[in-house]
Amino acid sequence: MKDIYILGIETSCDDTSASVVKNGRTICSNVVASQIDIHKLYGGVVPEVASRNHVENIAGVVETALEDANVSISDIDAIAVTYGPGLEGALIVGVSYAKALSYANNIHLIGVHHIKGHIFANFLDDENLKPPFLSLIVSGGHTHLIKVSDYNTFEILGKTRDDAAGEAYDKVARVMGLEYPGGPKIDKYAKNGNDNLKFPRIWISNDTLDFSFSGLKSAVLNYLNNCKMKNIEYSIEDVSASFQDAVVEVLVGKTERALKQNNLDTLVIGGGVACNEGLRSAISTMGKNNNVNVHLPSKILCTDNAAMIAAVGYYEYLESNFKYLELNAKSNLNLNKV
Ligand code: KG4
Ligand code: ZN
């Protein structure tokens, strides 16, 4: 059978990325232009600034992805682009560029759900991985437990009712004076701290797989404000370790419960928070204890990238699920309606 080359384009938040993936499993190139250095000046992602930077970066990033893969646009079988969820203005840049490229070169166009991309990133790291499995997606915008029954059947078992895990990390880090994105910094400090502050574990109730992180975030912020008001020095290492343990315990506990309830023995993770060392190690231990096959993708495939979008594109290509010029960015795109 002929090899299928998909060009992936991702601009849903603050990374401009393009990638060429062969047959849904082999990365030929994966270019990521990060805007972190710009957004950290503001303490977080500024949507309008993100959109402008995507406009500046997109053409060069796509060109480099084709060059790195040693292919030309005429070798591409389909262009897969993230069309939601994410920042509306940022998504529009990628979608418009993909539509123009597809129209001008007469190449199939495919619209991809961003969270589906985080799940499919796992196929790029392990060619033997096949559904069914459970996926835990934890990022700056999402915290989802999703049952994947086959390449096109997804069921959301639980999700956050307020803040995403990464959002809570970034907010706590900001109050401790750490630069955006705070997740990796808290992860580092946590290694040298102790969980002696015993922040609350928010389980909501035993019969839900939903998450909630805003109460934990408030408890940490109250502790920090109290220390500041009373001029008490706090240990950044201990606050980091205590916050991280509270997040990880709930993430891993609900994941374990979802595996058991759904009789699944394979787990994949994804999203920026899946880079977290504390989470990776606790998930691995839980997997070993329960005879669950755990897939931890490499860190470059956990954070936003276009290779994961191209990986989804391949399976949509096999289903001839093509879109045309009517494809539009959808900031609140629903996973079950893709
Ligand atoms: O998936 P991603 O690149 O973008 C979104 O789709 O949101 O995730 C970015 C998020 C940020 O909140 C960042 O702080 C968090 O992932 N993150 C981490 C770590 N690395 C990135 N959080 C905790 N520990 C880490 N090591
Ligand atoms: Zn993401």
Side-chain angles (χ1 to χ4, degrees):
M1 210 177 96
K2 172 190 172 296
D3 287 330
I4 303 297
Y5 288 90
I6 308 287
L7 170 67
I9 296 179
E10 156 65 41
T11 63
S12 68
C13 190
D14 59 342
D15 292 304
T16 319
S17 181
S19 160
V20 176
V21 168
K22 188 169 86 176
N23 298 332
R25 298 273 178 164
T26 309
I27 301 175
C28 306
S29 65
N30 189 21
V31 182
V32 183
S34 165
Q35 299 177 14
I36 282 180
D37 285 344
I38 299 163
H39 295 287
K40 75 181 180 195
L41 304 173
Y42 307 98
V45 177
V46 182
E48 181 55 27
V49 174
S51 310
R52 283 165 195 263
N53 279 280
H54 286 312
V55 171
E56 279 180 26
N57 293 340
I58 186 94
V61 165
V62 169
E63 214 165 284
T64 310
L66 292 171
E67 267 170 33
D68 286 1
N70 216 2
V71 296
S72 73
I73 191 72
S74 57
D75 298 316
I76 298 297
D77 295 284
I79 299 168
V81 62
T82 308
Y83 73 112
L87 303 171
E88 184 102 13
L91 289 164
I92 285 173
V93 179
V95 170
S96 308
Y97 195 85
K99 284 203 289 194
L101 204 57
S102 133
Y103 186 69
N105 295 283
N106 202 15
I107 301 173
H108 290 302
L109 178 68
I110 291 166
V112 175
H113 190 287
H114 182 77
I115 297 183
K116 221 167 150 182
H118 279 303
I119 298 171
F120 278 52
N122 287 275
F123 293 128
L124 296 166
D125 258 0
D126 180 353
E127 57 181 33
N128 296 317
L129 175 66
K130 286 190 184 74
F133 52 74
L134 178 73
S135 60
L136 170 70
I137 304 302
V138 267
S139 72
H142 315 281
T143 310
H144 279 65
L145 275 169
I146 300 167
K147 179 177 166 185
V148 180
S149 305
D150 62 48
Y151 293 98
N152 283 302
T153 313
F154 304 86
E155 186 189 346
I156 298 175
L157 303 175
K159 61 180 183 197
T160 184
R161 293 186 181 179
D162 39 57
D163 290 2
E167 195 180 349
Y169 262 97
D170 294 338
K171 284 186 185 156
V172 166
R174 191 166 160 178
V175 175
M176 291 199 288
L178 305 174
E179 267 182 349
Y180 173 83
K185 281 137 207 143
I186 290 192
D187 193 10
K188 229 173 173 177
Y189 281 114
K191 284 196 187 95
N192 300 317
N194 290 307
D195 177 17
N196 51 16
L197 300 168
K198 298 289 170 209
F199 292 127
R201 273 65 174 154
I202 314 286
W203 296 102
I204 307 177
S205 75
N206 278 340
D207 56 5
T208 179
L209 292 171
D210 280 353
F211 299 95
S212 166
F213 293 106
S214 77
L216 167 63
K217 179 192 69 188
S218 301
V220 181
L221 299 192
N222 284 344
Y223 172 80
L224 292 171
N225 287 337
N226 201 30
C227 290
K228 280 179 196 161
M229 261 166 17
K230 293 184 179 154
N231 241 339
I232 303 168
E233 228 176 273
Y234 61 82
S235 153
I236 198 164
E237 288 85 2
D238 288 348
V239 176
S240 298
S242 302
F243 166 71
Q244 181 149 306
D245 278 16
V247 173
V248 168
E249 197 175 312
V250 174
L251 286 176
V252 176
K254 296 225 173 200
T255 303
E256 184 175 8
R257 205 185 293 162
L259 285 162
K260 286 182 182 155
Q261 281 175 3
N262 290 276
N263 223 352
L264 291 166
D265 64 0
T266 304
L267 171 69
V268 311
I269 64 171
V273 183
C275 294
N276 187 272
E277 296 290 349
L279 177 64
R280 289 169 88 92
S281 128
I283 285 271
S284 301
T285 307
M286 182 275 289
K288 274 190 200 117
N289 293 343
N290 290 282
N291 271 331
V292 168
N293 203 347
V294 174
H295 292 252
L296 305 174
S298 58
K299 292 187 181 178
I300 178 76
L301 290 175
C302 287
T303 49
D304 288 351
N305 66 86
M308 66 187 198
I309 304 304
V312 179
Y314 173 73
Y315 291 96
E316 300 289 350
Y317 179 91
L318 296 182
E319 299 283 314
S320 300
N321 193 2
F322 301 128
K323 298 278 192 268
Y324 300 92
L325 291 181
E326 82 288 348
L327 182 71
N328 274 327
K330 203 157 189 298
S331 59
N332 59 353
L333 185 64
N334 189 321
L335 185 63
N336 295 323
K337 298 233 169 79
V338 186

